[in-house]
């Protein structure tokens, strides 16, 4: 479980004693430094590090870092809003000790996600982790709801020796093929060992469709912990690959053509220990509330794409008939619908039933993405929304009049269109609050400007090694 209380100057009760004990333990295990990680609005993980001996000080008083990074672009340019993007000011990064992890793939280092507060000790309104903690805490307090989430990770493995930023797949075997496991077996085994040592329960690891592409699925956790885990696992994949002379990319589209890297989100809402997505009277066992939650997700998908698919490269991935889910439709286990209802296997439905949101990639800040998905689902719950007729097969094949009649539409085909839909979505903007909502718009517009005049291949190249 994640601590939902905000950090405070001097540390929350017990934090300093705990950090002091932890630092001693870490030193005994040969850990010299702790990586303090957060994800910016553009989806890039930015860090500071402290020597292990300074962990207690960081738990008490945080570590300084500029708020300017909230409007950094993926290419390190800077956008501005009314309150963000200025060189003024400082924030304090507070490590979450509950999620501090010794990095098995990077000997000598530990890692912790951070919450950011102001020098006055107030929560920073631009902190995406604080936003997700707040949505989760409010849903528990106001509605007695909790959530479980997992973010799938797809990535492309390239040769570290490839010239000039090019991508040369490090595995050449067929899609889902055994060859690829043989080609990269040592690296994959090290990855599994590192995940195990870090307490990450891996459900499966497999070669994916595109050249050099792999996927890892991990167990579901509370939303904040699930977002932390996504950041940690990607850090681990990168570190392990590097030790094998390989280079990895989580970019939505490493190449302009073909299947991209997704970051599908699995989400379930729970009340009093019951999974709302199973055991009900509705379609596929959904309870009325479970259906409303899913319907809320579906309703808000167009605006959500500005958060879940935030890069110009995201729109190279979001193409029909590539399992990325680019239509406003839902279906049971249907891989071409944006929303895939997963009833689970007989015997395990009580734990496993969930909804999978597919138009999400790993350029997305996972805290913003999960928080906005929860806001969308909660809006569906509040209004008692119902799902339309389900779609089976590929929605791209529906005749135009039939698609229109069933309200099946393409999700935004460009970042510009996604931002327009986001601007029009008051539920998402209000959930984020003005500072974060403005940061989303400013950073997306900055990315659009950064790629003006580039063709698809140049866009893919521009973001290939940024995520
Ligand atoms: N790579 C696909 C995507 O872009 C997903 C493939 C799958 O369903 O696992 O989302
Ligand atoms: Mg996959």
């Amino acid at each position: 479980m994640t601590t939902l209380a905000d950090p405070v100057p001097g540390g929350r009760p017990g934090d300093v004693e705990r950090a002091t004990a932890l630092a001693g333990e870490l030193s005994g295990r040969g850990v010299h430094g702790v990586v303090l990680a957060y994800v910016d609005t553009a989806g890039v993980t930015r860090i500071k590090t402290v020597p292990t001996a300074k962990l207690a000080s960081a738990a008490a008083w945080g570590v300084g870092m500029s708020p300017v990074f909230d409007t950094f672009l993926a290419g390190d340019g800077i956008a501005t809003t009314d309150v963000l993007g200025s060189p003024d000011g400082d924030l304090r990064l507070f490590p979450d000790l509950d999620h501090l992890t010794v990095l098995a793939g990077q000997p000598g280092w530990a890692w912790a996600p951070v919450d950011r507060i102001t020098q006055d000790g107030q929560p920073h309104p631009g902190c995406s982790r604080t936003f997700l903690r707040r949505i989760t805490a409010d849903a528990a307090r106001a509605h007695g709801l909790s959530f479980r989430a997992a973010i799938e990770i797809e990535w492309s493995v390239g040769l570290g020796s490839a010239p000039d930023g090019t991508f040369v797949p490090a595995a050449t075997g067929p899609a889902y093929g055994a060859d690829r496991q043989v080609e990269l077996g040592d690296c994959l085994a090290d990855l599994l060992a590192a995940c195990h040592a870090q307490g990450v329960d891996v459900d499966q690891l497999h070669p994916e469709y595109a050249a050099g592409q792999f996927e890892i699925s991990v167990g579901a956790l509370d939303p904040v912990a699930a977002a932390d885990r996504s950041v940690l696992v990607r850090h681990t994949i990168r570190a392990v690959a590097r030790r094998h002379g390989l280079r990895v990319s989580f970019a939505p589209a490493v190449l302009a053509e073909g299947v991209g890297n997704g970051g599908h989100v699995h989400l379930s809402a729970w009340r009093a220990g019951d999974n709302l997505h199973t055991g009900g009277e509705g379609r596929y066992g959904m309870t009325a509330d479970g259906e409303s939650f899913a319907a809320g997700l579906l309703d808000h998908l167009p605006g959500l794409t500005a958060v879940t698919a935030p890069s110009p490269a995201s729109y190279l991935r979001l193409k029909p008939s590539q399992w990325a889910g680019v239509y406003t439709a839902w279906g049971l286990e249907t891989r071409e619908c944006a929303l895939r209802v997963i009833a689970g296997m007989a015997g395990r439905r009580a734990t496993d039933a969930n909804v999978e949101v597919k138009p999400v990639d790993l350029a997305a800040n996972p805290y913003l993405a999960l928080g906005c998905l929860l806001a969308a689902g909660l809006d569906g719950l509040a209004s008692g929304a119902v799902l339309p007729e389900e779609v089976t097969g590929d929605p791209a094949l529906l005749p135009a009049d039939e698609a229109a009649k069933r309200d099946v539409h393409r999700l935004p085909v460009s970042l510009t269109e996604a931002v327009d839909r986001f601007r029009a979505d008051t539920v998402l903007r209000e959930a984020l609050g003005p500072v974060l909502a403005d940061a989303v718009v400013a950073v997306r517009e900055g990315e659009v400007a950064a790629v003006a005049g580039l063709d698809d291949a140049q866009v893919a190249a521009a973001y290939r090694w940024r995520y």
Side-chain angles (χ1 to χ4, degrees):
M1 285 296 288
T2 303
T3 306
L4 294 177
D6 292 325
V8 293
R12 284 172 295 220
D15 273 359
V16 174
E17 296 74 8
R18 191 168 164 211
T20 305
L22 255 173
E25 189 193 314
L26 294 178
S27 293
R29 293 174 65 183
V31 172
H32 305 297
V34 183
V35 177
L36 307 180
Y38 71 94
V39 186
D40 70 15
T41 315
V44 175
T45 302
R46 313 264 175 195
I47 65 150
K48 283 254 176 134
T49 79
V50 289
T52 303
K54 287 286 167 66
L55 183 63
S57 157
W61 302 108
V63 172
M65 197 163 187
S66 166
V68 76
F69 297 102
D70 288 322
T71 46
F72 254 47
L73 305 180
D76 296 343
I78 302 173
T80 53
T81 71
D82 286 350
V83 292
L84 295 172
S86 138
D88 302 341
D90 209 15
L91 295 169
R92 308 301 296 178
L93 315 182
F94 275 70
D96 185 334
L97 301 177
D98 287 339
H99 295 301
L100 186 141
T101 307
V102 175
L103 291 176
Q106 259 185 307
W109 289 98
W111 173 97
V114 300
D115 292 297
R116 296 179 295 154
I117 70 173
T118 67
Q119 298 274 41
D120 293 331
Q122 297 303 310
H124 170 46
C127 177
S128 57
R129 193 172 188 271
T130 299
F131 159 66
L132 181 55
R133 277 193 296 108
R134 189 132 305 156
I135 292 253
T136 310
D138 288 352
R141 198 171 32 243
H143 306 290
L145 289 169
S146 62
F147 307 95
R148 289 173 64 72
I151 302 174
E152 295 180 5
I153 297 177
E154 292 184 335
W155 76 99
S156 306
V157 189
L159 293 178
S161 56
D164 296 336
T166 55
F167 170 68
V168 178
T172 52
Y176 310 98
D179 256 15
R180 288 199 201 171
Q181 185 274 334
V182 174
E183 289 177 273
L184 296 189
D186 289 348
C187 177
L188 298 173
D190 284 354
L191 175 58
L192 289 176
C195 286
H196 179 72
Q198 293 173 184
V200 174
D201 71 302
V202 172
D203 285 334
Q204 48 173 297
L205 169 64
H206 66 268
E208 251 291 341
Y209 187 87
Q213 192 184 33
F214 287 82
E215 173 175 338
I216 195 165
S217 320
V218 295
L221 297 169
D222 73 76
V224 178
D228 290 343
R229 177 173 269 188
S230 175
V231 179
L232 171 66
V233 171
R234 280 180 273 161
H235 195 92
T236 305
I237 292 170
R238 214 182 275 292
V240 170
R242 178 67 65 152
R243 288 163 80 82
H244 287 268
L246 302 167
R247 194 166 190 195
V248 301
S249 173
F250 302 97
V254 172
L255 302 171
E257 298 298 326
V259 169
N261 290 318
H264 307 170
V265 170
H266 293 264
L267 205 50
S268 53
W270 297 63
R271 188 180 280 122
D274 291 330
N275 183 345
L276 299 183
H277 304 273
T278 193
E281 302 290 308
R283 285 166 283 183
Y284 309 114
M286 282 185 271
T287 66
D289 279 350
E291 173 171 342
S292 292
F293 186 81
L297 290 170
L298 191 59
D299 281 348
H300 289 282
L301 277 176
L304 279 166
T305 50
V307 177
T308 62
S311 168
S314 300
Y315 298 84
L316 301 174
R317 165 184 170 251
L318 286 182
K319 294 192 182 138
S321 311
Q322 300 197 155
W323 290 8
V326 299
Y327 288 92
T328 55
W330 74 277
L332 177 74
E333 300 283 10
T334 303
R335 285 179 175 77
E336 290 296 352
C337 290
L339 210 64
R340 180 174 172 227
V341 165
I342 298 179
M345 190 171 178
R348 291 210 329 196
R349 294 198 168 123
T351 51
D352 289 7
N354 69 86
V355 285
E356 177 181 354
V357 186
K358 293 180 74 79
V360 186
D361 62 50
L362 299 169
N365 172 318
Y367 305 97
L368 291 182
L370 285 176
C372 287
L373 289 169
L374 292 181
L378 287 166
D379 184 52
L381 259 173
S383 64
V386 290
L387 283 170
E389 195 185 332
E390 76 182 287
V391 168
T392 53
D394 188 348
L397 304 177
L398 281 177
D401 56 339
E402 181 66 16
K405 200 169 80 196
R406 295 168 69 170
D407 219 11
V408 173
H409 303 286
R410 257 310 282 280
L411 285 169
V413 297
S414 69
L415 188 52
T416 302
E417 189 188 343
V419 172
D420 288 345
R421 301 303 298 265
F422 173 79
R423 276 186 208 279
D425 194 320
T426 47
V427 168
L428 299 183
R429 286 207 336 269
E430 274 170 22
L432 285 162
V435 173
L436 268 173
D438 284 358
V440 166
V441 170
V443 169
R444 305 300 176 257
E445 287 180 340
E447 300 294 359
V448 170
V451 298
L454 300 190
D455 65 23
D456 287 356
Q458 290 167 323
V459 170
Y463 292 95
R464 182 175 295 145
W465 305 114
R466 304 310 298 183
Y467 306 109

